[in-house]
Each structure stands twice: as structure tokens, then as C-alpha cells.
Amino acid sequence: MVNEWAGARVLVVGLARSGAAVARLLLRHGAQVTITDRRRAEELGEEANELAQIGARLVVGGHPESLFDQPWDEVVKNPGVPYSAYPVTEAIRRGIPVVTELELAWRIRPENWLAITGTNGKTTTTSWVGHMLEAAGVPHRVAGNIGVPLCDVVEAIDSKEWLVAELSSFQLQGTLRFRPHIGAILNIYPAHLDYHGSLEAYAAAKKNMFVNQGPEDYAVLNGGRKDEHHLMAGVRARPAQFGGPRRPGVPGMAVEGDRVLWWDGFRTEPVCAVSDVALPGEHNLENFLAAGTLAVLAGASLSAVAASGRTFRGVEHRMEFVRQWQGVTFYNDSKATNPEAAFRALGAFPKNVIWIAGGLDRGDDYRRLLPLLQEGRVKTVLTMGQSGPRIAALAEEVEIPFRKVSDVEEAVRIAASLARGGDVVLLSPAAASWDQYRSFEERGRMFKEAVNKL
């Protein structure tokens, strides 16, 4: 393969984890790399020094106009850096290609990508696919938005291994040639509109999963969500689906009665009983169908898929069982950073939920949660963060008791004092964490620490 980066002048915008991975990869391929970050040198840590020692040039403490005193062949931006930020806007104005880490990783190693995106469920589904492929003995590596930078692993993966990649809309928006052999969009709900500007732009970023695919590839959608099949318009890949009614010639996994079935497009085969899927909630049954469909397309046996349904225990911060204390069960769903994710979590429990919610207010529509609140599943709401008052207003509207708390530690203390045997204490914030915590992971860890101190 031709080394297209030998001698190329590349500007990396935003260091962070993926920016550092990009810089290391490009330097190994002989590129001239400059990294620019708004943070000061002392805030960047030792990694910045290490990159400088292996040949990267650092411009920190801001993005000066002098960055463009020299020409760039390509700009690689950290996925979280908005397109409205300088120097991204300047690169676009000058006609310089602006991409994300995903594009570079694919160009290094384009074979056998199984890529997954969606507003909700992508981390669980990605991890579950990996679990199924492991059970089936299918070589694979899990990476991407799930926590392992793609550019840190692509050179170490054999071309015959599957790269199972969780992808965000931020990553997908910055692609030009990216083409997975198997690509899935699990669902699309309003999210990240502060970044994308509109639901249409958000959906368009997700659809980059399919735009370069050919007839030998697979484009996988949720068969139970007919409103999203417009995403197939103009797509040349073979369709596959999970859930929904069977369609001739379209393979996928679905539920019929109390059974999970595989449909190869022409006939059905039994997979397992619905009750064999260990993770609770309708949303996790949907995640199982999605993961099973993808794993079978990648070569997993139906028996391995069924075994994984019984043995997979989920991922950290996503409906994660923490502890049972005095008959009260605590769940950490800190990764529920939007109302739809919280809706799915609350829907897993029929009653007696003490719900801890609230965080960064991004203008999300919390009224999506009203039907579940009206059903009497929630007995008390503990609200925190910027969006706490809006969630409290919903609770007040349906006459559910609510209390304001300062953080997850106080929420755990109060929840423990209110809970009785048989109750569920659920941290499912329906909001991002950045108003109080550095990440949803930090928020979830602090919740678990507080629970385990009871």
C-alpha cells in the first residue's frame, strides 16, 4: 500500500486521547505533524512532551492565525472540536480536507470493518458483538468511541480480523472515503443538536456510515423503526435489519412470540427464548437482536449468539448492577446522557424506582419521559445539575415527590434513607455530565463508590 502521509504536512486540532493517537500514527508514517490545542502546556500533561520528543510540533494555549503561514495537506480534528472553531473554519475556507481519526484509521487498514453507530445502545451493542464473536471463535478487536482510539490499534490488527468499531456522529461527520463492510445505524433520536445544529444534520452525519458502501457490503437498520428507512435512500449496500417484520431477501434477527429467530431472507431458524437474554429491559432485547444480526453477518454461529445472550453482563455505566443493600438494588446508568436513554432505562423497571437525574442542560425535550412517569414506575425523583429544575417540574406535574441534591454522593445518601426493600435506585441522568463532572465515567464511578460505602 502506498504511504500517502510520507512527507505530508498535517495539522492536528485538539490533543486529547484520539488526537494523540492520530499524531503517533502519522509520525510513524513520516508525516510532518503540528498539534494545536487551546490548553496551555502545563494542562496537557506528559503525553504532549512525549509527542514533542518523537517529532511533533506543538502550538498550545490557543489557535493563532500564524498556523496558516504554511500550507497544510490535511487537517485532522478531534471529534469533539466543533466545525465552528478556528482553525477548522479557516481550513474549510481554504479548501483543505478536514477529517477525524476514523478516516485515517480506515485508510491505514480498510479491511473487515464492522461499524456501529446510533443515538442509544451503541456501546452495549458493540461490546455484545465482541462477546458473541469471542464465543464463536471469530478473530476480532473492539475499538473506537468505546474507549480505545482506532489509530492506536489499526496497525496491529491482521487484515483477516474484524475491527468492531463503535462510532459517534462526531467521528462520522469527518469522513470522506470511510467504507465499512458491515455498517449499522441502531436508531436516531434528537441528540447533540448543540454540535450539529439540527436533527437533519445529525442524521446526515450518521448516514456517512453507508454513503461509500457497495453491493458487497451490508447496511443494517432497525426493522421496527420504519421512520428511519429513508436512511437507505441512495444506499448501494445489501440491506439487513434487526427487529420488525420479516422482509423477503433481507436477513436479520427478530422476536416472534417468546422466541428469538434468525431469518436468512428466505427461512427462519430458532436462536433462543426471549427469557434467555439476561440483561433486563426491552431496550437490551433490541440491543441483543442488533448484536446478533451483526455477529452472524460476520460469521458467528447461532449457538454462539444464544450463549452470549445468557452470559453477557453488560458494560460499565450502562444499566450496570452495582449492589443490593438491605433489599434495595442500585443501578448505574450514568451513560444515559439524553432523555431517550433514560426512557429506556426507566422502562426496564415496572415500579418502585427512586430515580436520580439531571446534568448539563442542552435543551433536550424531557417531556419524552412523561408517559413513564404517569405510569407510576417512579416513586421519588432526586434531581441535580443544570437540568434538574426542568426534570423536577415534570415530577411536580404528575405529582411525584422530588428533592434537589447537590451531587451523586448526596443523592445516594438520600436515596438510601428513602428506599425500602424491593425498591430500585437508578442513576440515569438523561443529561451529559460536564456541568459537574469531567465525564459520565467519573459520574458513574463516584455513584458506585458512594453506593459501596453504605
Side-chain angles (χ1 to χ4, degrees):
M1 181 179 295
V2 175
N3 180 5
E4 61 182 289
W5 291 285
R9 295 156 298 192
V10 183
L11 177 65
V12 177
V13 182
L15 186 56
R17 188 160 46 185
S18 70
V22 164
R24 286 192 294 267
L25 183 147
L26 289 171
L27 287 166
R28 285 195 297 272
H29 283 257
Q32 301 173 33
V33 178
T34 296
I35 303 168
T36 180
D37 197 287
R38 296 181 65 87
R39 293 171 294 171
R40 299 187 302 274
E42 57 269 24
E43 298 176 279
L44 292 175
E46 187 58 33
E47 191 164 46
N49 292 331
E50 293 172 359
L51 288 167
Q53 289 172 8
I54 60 174
R57 170 182 171 237
L58 271 68
V59 179
V60 299
H63 305 308
E65 293 183 7
S66 59
L67 280 170
F68 288 88
D69 287 349
Q70 68 177 88
W72 301 107
D73 296 302
E74 196 155 35
V75 171
V76 184
K77 77 172 197 66
N78 186 286
V81 174
Y83 281 84
S84 59
Y86 187 90
V88 178
T89 55
E90 182 63 16
I92 293 171
R93 188 185 72 80
R94 292 174 180 240
I96 302 168
V98 177
V99 299
T100 57
E101 178 209 11
L102 169 60
E103 176 75 9
L104 266 67
W106 182 86
R107 279 150 59 180
I108 287 286
R109 191 267 192 191
E111 304 90 359
N112 285 357
W113 281 68
L114 191 163
I116 300 163
T117 194
T119 305
N120 294 312
K122 56 185 178 289
T123 298
T124 298
T125 301
T126 302
S127 299
W128 218 332
V129 170
H131 195 266
M132 291 173 180
L133 295 180
E134 184 72 25
V138 176
H140 68 284
R141 188 84 60 98
V142 177
N145 196 56
I146 203 165
V148 180
L150 294 162
C151 284
D152 272 349
V153 301
V154 286
E155 292 178 302
I157 302 179
D158 185 274
S159 63
K160 296 180 181 179
E161 288 183 83
W162 285 99
L163 177 50
V164 182
E166 178 193 333
L167 304 179
S168 70
S169 60
F170 300 165
Q171 292 171 304
L172 283 162
Q173 186 171 348
T175 57
L176 300 174
R177 289 151 44 191
F178 172 66
R179 175 185 174 179
H181 179 54
I182 303 173
I185 301 177
L186 304 179
N187 48 59
I188 293 179
Y189 297 100
H192 304 301
L193 301 188
D194 53 339
Y195 181 97
H196 292 287
S198 69
L199 180 59
E200 292 74 19
Y202 174 58
K206 293 287 192 188
K207 190 174 177 177
N208 278 351
M209 180 73 78
F210 299 155
V211 294
N212 293 318
Q213 287 185 307
E216 62 273 34
D217 302 318
Y218 282 102
V220 183
L221 285 172
N222 187 334
R225 290 181 57 84
K226 293 183 174 58
D227 57 320
E228 288 179 4
H229 280 276
H230 68 276
L231 292 168
M232 287 300 293
V235 174
R236 296 177 297 149
R238 291 174 286 183
Q241 67 178 48
F242 59 95
R246 295 194 293 268
R247 298 165 57 203
V250 179
M253 204 163 284
V255 170
E256 187 175 279
D258 61 356
R259 300 182 303 162
V260 176
L261 302 175
W262 168 256
W263 165 253
D264 67 4
F266 306 98
R267 58 190 175 85
T268 60
E269 294 182 65
V271 179
C272 63
V274 169
S275 59
D276 288 337
V277 180
L279 291 187
E282 286 295 318
H283 65 298
N284 277 320
L285 178 58
E286 186 175 279
N287 293 335
F288 174 73
L289 298 176
T293 299
L294 295 165
V296 171
L297 293 176
S301 65
L302 296 183
S303 60
V305 169
S308 183
R310 294 187 292 270
T311 58
F312 182 66
R313 292 292 176 259
V315 297
E316 189 178 17
H317 310 299
R318 169 55 78 199
M319 288 295 286
E320 176 191 7
F321 170 78
V322 180
R323 181 186 181 191
Q324 194 165 68
W325 172 82
Q326 297 184 3
V328 179
T329 308
F330 291 80
Y331 283 91
N332 165 32
D333 194 42
S334 183
K335 200 174 190 302
T337 56
N338 57 68
E340 183 61 34
F343 184 95
R344 291 171 168 230
L346 288 169
F349 305 103
K351 59 181 180 178
N352 298 339
V353 177
I354 297 174
W355 178 34
I356 303 169
L360 182 71
D361 193 344
R362 297 192 288 194
D364 290 328
D365 182 10
Y366 289 107
R367 298 192 70 80
R368 168 77 174 99
L369 298 159
L370 266 181
L372 288 182
L373 299 180
Q374 290 166 335
E375 291 175 3
R377 297 170 185 258
V378 177
K379 60 185 290 186
T380 304
V381 182
L382 304 179
T383 67
M384 61 186 184
Q386 291 177 359
S387 63
R390 294 208 291 129
I391 296 171
L394 281 186
E396 186 174 27
E397 183 175 332
V398 294
E399 299 182 345
I400 296 175
F402 62 91
R403 292 177 62 172
K404 178 182 177 181
V405 297
S406 59
D407 51 32
V408 291
E409 291 95 339
E410 184 182 9
V412 168
R413 291 194 299 271
I414 293 176
S417 69
L418 296 174
R420 300 294 178 264
D423 287 354
V424 169
V425 176
L426 173 66
L427 170 67
S428 190
S433 59
W434 303 314
D435 57 335
Q436 291 182 280
Y437 301 96
R438 287 176 294 182
S439 64
F440 72 81
E441 293 98 336
E442 180 183 71
R443 179 172 62 188
R445 284 193 296 269
M446 295 184 77
F447 173 78
K448 292 192 291 183
E449 289 172 7
V451 171
N452 287 317
K453 288 178 181 176
L454 292 174

